[in-house]
Structures are given as C-alpha cells and as structure tokens.
Amino acid sequence: MTGREALPNTDGGRREDRHVPVMLQRCLDLLAPALQEPGAVVVDCTLGLGGHSEALLRRFPEARLVALDRDTEALRLSGERLAPYGERARLVHAVYDELPDVLAGLGIPRVQGVLFDLGVSSMQLDEADRGFAYAQDAPLDMRMDQTTGISAAEVLNTYPPGELVRILRAYGEEKQAKRIVAAVVRERDKEPFTNSARLVELIRNALPQAAKRTGGNPAKRTFQALRIEVNGELSVLERAIPAAVDALAVGGRIAVLSYHSLEDRLVKQVLAAGAASTAPPGLPVVPERYQPRLKLLTRGAELPTEEEVAENRRAAPARLRGAERIRESIE
C-alpha cells in the first residue's frame, strides 16, 4: 500500500498533511540527473493525489510531466492540485501498462524519467466506500477504476473454490487459504457477500488461534489478494515495467516504489535482467548488442528511514529500486 498525501478539502484548502509521499526526497534525487535539461519529460505512472508529481514539477522547472491514473476521482483531485502548472502537466486516465499507447498518442518517442508508486493510495484506503480497508465496514468493491471491471464481492461470490484458494495463496501468501475459502463458500451459499465487515469476521473465525497471534490483522492477506485480483495488478506490472524501461531515452532513469514482496520481486527481475549481459558464455569480446541496457542505481532495495516510518506508518513496507538506461537496444 502507498502512503500518499492528504486529501484536499472541498473548500479548496488542504487537510492537515496526514499522508505524505513515500521516500519523496530519495525519489527526486534518484531521478534528478536525468531531469535537468529543458524539455525533459518525466512520467508519474501512479498519480494518486499528485504529491510526487507536484514535487517533480516544482523541483525541475524545465521538465514536463505526463501522469497516469486509472482512478477518475484521483485524476479530478490531482488535476485541481496541479492546475497552477498549466500545460507542463498532462494527466491521462489510463492504467500504467498502457504507457506506450499514451506516449504515442502524445507524440513523445522517449522520456527522461519514470516513477511508479505502486499499491493503493491513501485516498482509496481512507474513503470507506471503496472497500480497500479491512479496518472499516464498506461495500466490497476494491476497484481502482470504478468505471470498469468486477468487484471483490463478485470474485468472492462467483469464483470456484479452487481458484479462490489459488488467489489467496499466490497474491496474499495466505497459508490458511483452504480454511478461509471453505468458510467463504459455506457462507456465500447462505447469502452473497456484499460488505467487508462480514468477510473480516469470517476470516477471524476461520483461522486457528496460532495464526491470529502474528502478522497484524488476520484479514490483511486476503484483502491484499482480492485487491490484486480485482485490479490485475501483477499482470499489469509484468507488462508495465519492461514498457517503461523501453520508453527511457539513454541517460533516462526509472524509480519504483513497491509495497509487498510480489511487486518487488517482479521489479527486481526486470531491472536485474536489463543490467545483465546477454552474451553466450565464452566470448572473448562481448558485442554491443549483448551489453547491459541498464545500470542499477540502488544496492538491492532501499528502505525508508526510521524517521520517515515514524512520520508516516504507511511507508513502513516500502522498497525502492532504481536504474538508468545506458544504451539503446540493438536487434
């Protein structure tokens, strides 16, 4: 989950900043060498409420921003926030794996910077009717784009038991998946699921005592799994990170904030593959087409500081990775 910034008030002011962009200064510093030249383009693939985007526009006054989000409410609110920057900011309703089409539509062949802040925004967590948070009762929706797709309730009520078990294990790393799904199937036959509180109670009752003593709220893993399934997050990310790397000009940089091991593993694999030679073993001289395309900018995944976690608890699981494009692809 992300720790993005506070929601604006309806009167045009901004609520006291309860949420701040995660690892903001480090993200800016990581991207900075690529964004100094006039006309540089940076893409914020996960706009949210615009905290990272606003900071990018403010720190790099010669840069232009393209910002994507699938959430129409986030686009509306961040549009108000970024309005003072005029045509320097282009906001687009799109999922981040649609980046190549977005750039082609804007006539932008290459970009100098790309930022991803993955997971759920604070706005989505804090608006109860979205159904993302297990701590408050709400309709089981969990769609980041409420104009399309199926809800979490539909997943719970219609998926075969074996598929539900697979989702909870693969996307939630839930060891008690079979127990939980057996209880879900039993209860949905009596009455379909509509709200989060009933699901949270079911999970609490389904788990053995030992499983409830560790790892925080016992519903956390199931809610994560449902959210990932509803929004196709991992399949989207599998397409999006390579597409973002391909969009970088030589000297361009990418920074990715992940919030759970499944996301971070995907990001690590793509960046590590780009930073490795693809030459067959034993070549005395490695031709350029086999040379790495990327240079890694972080040693492993960087973590937020203790001070940042104390200020913003939602930053705690964050993992930051970065890379620089060092050569064009040669077929």
Side-chain angles (χ1 to χ4, degrees):
M1 65 181 67
T2 68
R4 298 180 192 155
E5 60 290 343
L7 284 162
N9 275 329
T10 53
D11 63 3
R14 191 166 286 125
R15 295 178 193 167
E16 184 181 351
D17 277 350
R18 293 171 292 119
H19 314 310
V20 294
V22 170
M23 298 181 76
L24 175 61
Q25 194 57 49
R26 184 63 184 124
C27 288
L28 294 174
D29 291 345
L30 209 58
L31 295 171
L35 300 179
Q36 306 293 348
E37 295 298 317
V41 176
V42 59
V43 182
D44 185 345
C45 286
T46 47
L47 173 63
L49 288 168
H52 283 107
S53 282
E54 185 177 42
L56 286 164
L57 288 164
R58 191 168 55 238
R59 175 155 171 188
F60 308 108
E62 300 294 327
R64 293 181 293 140
L65 170 82
V66 176
L68 282 53
D69 209 295
R70 65 171 84 183
D71 189 323
T72 53
E73 181 65 2
L75 286 164
R76 184 185 70 80
L77 292 168
S78 56
E80 294 173 3
R81 180 176 193 162
L82 301 179
Y85 296 94
E87 293 185 358
R88 286 182 60 209
R90 295 290 298 269
L91 277 53
V92 183
H93 182 217
V95 186
Y96 40 74
D97 66 337
E98 298 174 298
L99 176 61
D101 292 336
V102 170
L103 294 178
L106 295 173
I108 301 172
R110 286 284 189 272
V111 302
Q112 283 65 48
V114 179
L115 173 67
F116 287 86
D117 183 11
L118 300 170
V120 188
S121 75
S122 291
M123 180 195 75
Q124 291 163 338
L125 284 170
D126 292 342
E127 294 203 340
D129 62 358
R130 303 298 291 272
F132 287 102
Y134 40 78
Q136 48 194 345
D137 191 23
L140 276 168
D141 191 320
M142 298 195 193
R143 290 173 298 164
M144 292 179 180
D145 181 352
Q146 292 187 300
T147 67
T148 187
I150 65 169
S151 68
E154 290 175 84
V155 171
L156 276 178
N157 293 326
T158 65
Y159 275 29
E163 184 66 1
L164 284 176
V165 170
R166 183 192 70 78
I167 289 166
L168 263 60
R169 283 178 175 166
Y171 299 159
E173 300 177 291
E174 175 54 78
K175 295 176 182 176
Q176 304 292 333
K178 277 193 170 181
R179 280 178 180 262
I180 292 169
V181 170
V184 165
V185 171
R186 189 168 58 246
E187 288 301 313
R188 78 184 186 184
D189 286 344
K190 300 176 187 175
E191 182 183 350
F193 283 88
T194 58
N195 277 52
S196 57
R198 182 179 170 214
L199 177 60
V200 171
E201 183 181 9
L202 175 146
I203 293 167
R204 286 188 188 280
N205 293 336
L207 296 184
Q209 285 300 322
K212 289 188 277 192
R213 292 194 194 106
T214 59
N217 192 305
K220 176 174 65 176
R221 292 176 294 276
T222 296
F223 272 63
Q224 174 180 297
L226 288 171
R227 191 200 82 218
I228 289 172
E229 171 65 16
V230 165
N231 296 290
E233 289 177 42
L234 293 180
S235 57
V236 168
L237 189 62
E238 279 182 315
R239 296 186 293 272
I241 301 298
V245 169
D246 288 344
L248 287 175
V250 173
R253 292 183 165 212
I254 181 171
V256 187
L257 281 162
S258 305
Y259 293 83
H260 57 75
S261 61
L262 302 172
E263 291 174 339
D264 184 53
R265 195 176 306 141
L266 276 175
V267 175
K268 176 184 177 181
Q269 288 169 351
V270 174
L271 298 187
S277 168
T278 57
L283 289 182
V285 178
V286 178
E288 189 179 352
R289 68 179 180 275
Y290 296 134
Q291 298 282 1
R293 293 190 302 154
L294 298 176
K295 178 179 73 174
L296 299 181
L297 299 173
T298 51
R299 187 186 294 271
E302 292 188 6
L303 310 181
T305 63
E306 291 181 7
E307 292 77 14
E308 179 168 11
V309 172
E311 178 188 350
N312 178 11
R313 62 182 175 78
R314 288 176 181 168
R319 301 292 181 269
L320 174 64
R321 295 181 185 271
E324 179 182 352
R325 181 77 178 261
I326 56 175
R327 74 166 179 85
E328 285 287 358
S329 300
I330 300 175
E331 299 302 330

